[in-house]
Amino acid sequence: MIKYNLTCECGKIFESWFSSSSEYDLLHKKKLIRCIYCESSVIKKSVMSPNISSKSNKINKKTKIEKNIKKQLLDFRKYIEKNCKYVGDNFSKEARNIHYDKKTSTGIYGKATPEETTELIEEGIEVATIPWVDKKEN
Ligand SMILES: [Zn+2]
């Protein structure tokens, strides 16, 4: 069953139930739908539920923002991969080498446990943890 809001030429709006949209079309064509106020058969379907469209707009907007963030993280990842040296699990060791041997200026990236990261920060070594976005997933 479908409920339609119907608008009459007299300006009144009323609700009516139909088994399907084609049933409405058929009855409308045969002028069998009549206004409950003035009995006119000049009836129009009114636009239905604007709420649904505004709600889905919001969802689309949110997805867009999430996609943008993901894209930025991916770009950031590409930038790091291009400009920094990957040191894997040796990250905290390499980070210390760079920090204490001022001659090296290459950036590095790699894995560190939260404990190692805290230690590095406590030693005054600049460390940033970023969400590592998977390139394959879309
Ligand atoms: Zn009417």
Side-chain angles (χ1 to χ4, degrees), residues 47-62:
V47 184
M48 288 176 66
S49 2
N51 281 338
I52 290 168
S53 72
S54 83
K55 215 174 189 180
S56 66
N57 278 347
K58 249 182 212 167
I59 292 166
N60 285 342
K61 215 175 177 185
K62 201 179 160 223

Side-chain angles (χ1 to χ4, degrees), residues 8 10 35 38:
C8 170
C10 75
C35 171
C38 72

Side-chain angles (χ1 to χ4, degrees), residues 2 15 52 66 96 132:
I2 302 170
E15 290 172 351
I52 290 168
E66 273 166 9
R96 279 199 184 88
W132 209 234

Side-chain angles (χ1 to χ4, degrees), residues 7-14 34-43:
T7 313
C8 170
E9 61 174 347
C10 75
K12 293 267 184 7
I13 295 167
F14 59 98
R34 296 201 174 264
C35 171
I36 56 169
Y37 301 99
C38 72
E39 302 228 301
S40 161
S41 61
V42 187
I43 304 289

Side-chain angles (χ1 to χ4, degrees), residues 21-137:
S21 65
S22 50
E23 190 204 19
Y24 165 83
D25 290 337
L26 188 77
L27 293 174
H28 186 248
K29 213 180 266 173
K30 293 186 174 174
K31 296 189 187 298
L32 289 173
I33 308 166
R34 296 201 174 264
C35 171
I36 56 169
Y37 301 99
C38 72
E39 302 228 301
S40 161
S41 61
V42 187
I43 304 289
K44 268 194 297 186
K45 252 192 296 186
S46 0
V47 184
M48 288 176 66
S49 2
N51 281 338
I52 290 168
S53 72
S54 83
K55 215 174 189 180
S56 66
N57 278 347
K58 249 182 212 167
I59 292 166
N60 285 342
K61 215 175 177 185
K62 201 179 160 223
T63 327
K64 232 182 213 170
I65 291 167
E66 273 166 9
K67 268 187 191 154
N68 282 341
I69 292 171
K70 195 168 178 186
K71 198 189 164 289
Q72 279 175 16
L73 287 172
L74 258 180
D75 287 346
F76 191 39
R77 177 180 175 161
K78 277 184 205 148
Y79 173 83
I80 291 170
E81 284 175 343
K82 205 178 156 195
N83 296 284
C84 303
K85 198 177 104 190
Y86 181 66
V87 293
D89 294 328
N90 293 325
F91 180 77
S92 55
K93 192 178 146 247
E94 292 287 326
R96 279 199 184 88
N97 285 346
I98 287 171
H99 184 70
Y100 295 114
D101 171 18
K102 306 280 183 199
K103 276 173 265 171
T104 327
S105 62
T106 336
I108 58 160
Y109 70 102
K111 292 172 208 156
T113 63
E115 291 79 29
E116 284 172 336
T117 311
T118 315
E119 275 173 29
L120 291 170
I121 292 167
E122 277 167 4
E123 283 176 51
I125 300 168
E126 258 180 69
V127 185
T129 308
I130 62 154
W132 209 234
V133 187
D134 192 353
K135 273 189 267 189
K136 284 167 211 161
E137 168 199 330

